[in-house]
Amino acid sequence: MSHNDRMIICGGGPVGMVAALSLVQQGIPVTVLESFETPPQDPRAATIHPSTLEMLHKLKLAEGIIKRGLKAPAFQFRDRTTQEIIAVFDMKHIADETDFPFAVQYEQWKLTRDAIVAVKEYDIADIRLGSAVTAFSQDYDGVTVVYEDPAGEMHKVEGRYLLACDGGRSTIRIGLGVFMSGFTWEERFLVLTSKHDFAASDGYLNRNYVMDPTEWMAVFKVPGDDDQGIWRTLFPTEGHEKDEDLLSDEGVTQRIRGARSDMDHNDVLHRNLYTVNQRVADRFRVERIFLAGDAAHLNNPLGGLGLNTGIHDCMNITKKIGDVWFGRAEEDVFERYHRQRHQLATEFLQSVTIENKKRIEEKDPEVIKQNQQQLRENAEDPAKAKTWLMRSSLLDSVRKEETIE
Ligand SMILES: Cc1cc2nc3c(=O)[nH]c(=O)nc-3n(C[C@H](O)[C@H](O)[C@H](O)COP(=O)(O)OP(=O)(O)OC[C@H]3O[C@@H](n4cnc5c(N)ncnc54)[C@H](O)[C@@H]3O)c2cc1C
């Protein structure tokens, strides 16, 4: 096979593996280079929105996810002090817009695992786990990528294009010198996972946002390793708090007691701390190299949009790669990928996630009152609820994408 008969993907996380599946299903040979030998099971993305389910359905991945995941047909906003349920957004209001009027709670490592299994069905797929990309170059007709195997041996692989799905610290983006415009929040987010059943004890749904001026929370149920259900609680931290204090038994007890006063660190299965960025790469395409997922944009996790938009990126670029590969389009269509996905990441993804964070942490009592009133009105009026849900489920964003030339 000549060197330009193959796509190379750097990073076999959820976005890279879904991209690989989309390419092999079109008949395009793919090599995926992934530094981990087994995907990490850290508690990151868990909410798959209707727009993404539509895309995963086309790849024949959605049915398994719906079967094994937890359906979330509604989500809740609460006030932490009063425990009052402020608003419940019911996705039935978008049932006339999508075949999937619900989100599904399904851990991202399971999505990655499912995609790997599906990709391996194709003999044009070549997945190389334990392969860390260290260098790359491109010329007029192809790309060359160098990687290190677990034994420390260096290898070289050539392809026609390179898709960088190598996450927030993307080796490819940094190597290209592409800047990530935006900022990093001073506080980090702490995720505590427990088996405590927040639905039975407090009437939580599978997705909940708890507003509070000093310490808000997000509460989510995910299937867990044994599919019996575990609960993730997400808290903000203060910029000055040290990692060792936040992750200590005392620190964990103090936070989890904010969720329920009868819990302590013994109830917590996992504790994870995340840096939170709001950044978008200045370029999503540099000639034969494309950035997708966290390699291209980072945002706070409120609203569960990072992975979903990453999958939207990869579905967009893999369709265009297919069009060019099989002679249905010229390479200038790749500039449209940059224009579409960069604009949506800048205008939509950043504003929605920043809005979500500001709303949940608002400190001014008057603004809190207005926000809560607005949430109630939006949830109760079917037309307003539909507008809200079209935006939060990313269906609007996908439709807008088609209009960007
Ligand atoms: C607490 C939290 C909750 C979140 N919740 C949600 C949610 O509910 N919904 C949502 O949509 N998003 C959510 N997100 C965001 C989501 O986790 C990310 O957007 C998602 O992981 C992006 O996927 P990715 O494949 O682009 O990058 P990653 O998941 O980071 O994968 C990148 C892959 O590239 C590999 N890699 C890196 N460098 C190299 C190299 N040099 N060579 C080879 N391989 C390499 C890595 O090993 C990794 O496997 C959340 C994030 C956090 C922190």
Side-chain angles (χ1 to χ4, degrees):
M1 196 173 273
S2 97
H3 74 274
N4 61 9
D5 279 345
R6 170 162 298 278
M7 266 300 300
I8 301 176
I9 297 179
C10 174
V15 173
M17 291 313 310
V18 170
L21 184 59
S22 169
L23 290 165
V24 292
Q25 286 188 353
Q26 295 178 67
I28 299 173
V30 176
T31 293
V32 181
L33 303 170
E34 164 55 48
S35 51
F36 281 119
E37 290 186 63
T38 33
Q41 301 188 1
D42 55 335
R44 292 170 75 192
T47 303
I48 304 181
H49 289 295
S51 52
T52 312
L53 288 169
E54 288 179 359
M55 295 175 188
L56 296 175
H57 173 67
K58 289 191 186 135
L59 301 180
K60 303 190 178 63
L61 277 183
E63 288 58 35
I65 290 171
I66 293 167
K67 200 164 133 211
R68 292 189 293 277
L70 299 172
K71 268 195 188 174
F75 56 94
Q76 214 178 65
F77 283 90
R78 291 186 174 215
D79 182 287
R80 179 159 163 186
T81 319
T82 62
Q83 275 304 313
E84 184 195 351
I85 297 171
I86 306 296
V88 178
F89 282 88
D90 190 328
M91 298 224 196
K92 70 180 182 201
H93 297 300
I94 52 170
D96 55 345
E97 299 285 347
T98 176
D99 290 340
F100 303 97
F102 48 84
V104 178
Q105 297 294 102
Y106 193 65
E107 294 94 329
Q108 74 174 51
W109 67 267
K110 294 183 183 169
L111 169 62
T112 309
R113 180 198 60 191
D114 294 354
I116 291 176
V117 170
V119 171
K120 281 186 171 165
E121 295 282 306
Y122 293 80
D123 56 11
I124 51 173
D126 166 29
I127 300 177
R128 303 188 193 180
L129 300 177
S131 304
V133 171
T134 56
F136 63 94
S137 60
Q138 58 176 327
D139 59 23
Y140 66 97
D141 71 346
V143 295
T144 303
V145 178
V146 176
Y147 69 92
E148 186 177 354
D149 72 16
E153 300 266 321
M154 304 305 284
H155 305 265
K156 195 166 87 174
V157 46
E158 294 182 326
R160 195 182 300 184
Y161 304 107
L162 169 62
L163 182 55
C165 302
D166 50 346
R169 297 190 184 121
S170 168
T171 303
I172 306 296
R173 188 193 65 238
I174 293 166
L176 286 169
V178 170
F179 188 67
M180 285 286 253
S181 296
F183 63 91
T184 301
W185 297 99
E186 196 189 325
E187 73 263 42
R188 279 149 320 140
F189 286 1
L190 179 68
V191 178
L192 302 178
T193 309
S194 73
K195 275 203 178 288
H196 177 83
D197 185 346
F198 285 91
S201 66
D202 299 278
Y204 280 99
L205 303 179
N206 287 342
R207 297 176 61 209
N208 314 272
Y209 299 97
V210 186
M211 306 163 86
D212 192 76
T214 49
E215 195 177 76
W216 53 266
M217 295 190 305
V219 182
F220 294 94
K221 188 175 184 185
V222 297
D225 294 353
D226 56 6
D227 287 340
Q228 297 303 303
I230 50 174
W231 290 78
R232 291 182 186 167
T233 43
L234 186 148
F235 302 89
T237 66
E238 300 281 335
H240 61 81
E241 290 180 283
K242 294 198 183 96
D243 290 19
E244 57 268 33
D245 293 339
L246 289 165
L247 297 169
S248 68
D249 288 350
E250 295 72 34
V252 166
T253 293
Q254 185 205 325
R255 236 91 198 188
I256 201 71
R257 288 227 162 116
R260 273 198 67 85
S261 56
D262 55 355
M263 288 176 76
D264 66 25
H265 65 90
N266 293 306
D267 298 302
V268 173
L269 304 170
H270 307 290
R271 26 185 111 173
N272 298 79
L273 202 51
Y274 296 95
T275 301
V276 193
N277 289 286
Q278 300 285 161
R279 294 182 183 274
V280 180
D282 290 348
R283 293 283 315 158
F284 280 30
R285 175 218 177 187
V286 178
E287 304 302 336
R288 297 184 164 277
I289 303 177
F290 320 111
L291 306 180
D294 277 18
H297 46 78
L298 293 164
N299 54 272
N300 80 67
L302 294 171
L305 302 183
L307 171 60
N308 283 271
T309 48
I311 291 174
H312 297 192
D313 296 338
C314 83
M315 295 305 288
N316 181 313
I317 189 63
T318 54
K319 160 88 173 57
K320 291 182 170 59
I321 291 167
D323 287 344
V324 172
W325 203 276
F326 297 110
R328 297 186 294 265
E330 298 295 324
E331 283 187 338
D332 58 5
V333 75
F334 295 140
E335 264 313 285
R336 188 168 177 227
Y337 168 69
H338 165 75
R339 289 193 296 274
Q340 290 176 310
R341 298 307 303 168
H342 180 270
Q343 181 176 329
L344 288 170
T346 313
E347 292 176 6
F348 183 84
L349 181 59
Q350 296 304 317
S351 61
V352 172
T353 53
I354 291 172
E355 235 171 66
N356 289 346
K357 184 170 180 297
K358 283 198 173 357
R359 184 188 307 108
I360 202 169
E361 70 186 10
E362 180 56 53
K363 295 194 183 335
D364 181 331
E366 262 318 297
V367 181
I368 294 174
K369 237 193 251 166
Q370 286 163 20
N371 285 346
Q372 296 193 349
Q373 185 52 28
Q374 214 172 42
L375 282 171
R376 275 188 206 99
E377 284 171 18
N378 283 331
E380 284 162 17
D381 178 304
K384 287 184 182 165
K386 181 172 177 177
T387 303
W388 178 290
L389 291 162
M390 289 296 287
R391 192 165 140 88
S392 61
S393 65
L394 296 169
L395 286 163
D396 270 354
S397 146
V398 173
R399 291 177 193 181
K400 168 93 198 237
E401 178 184 294
E402 286 160 19
T403 69
I404 303 171
E405 280 312 318

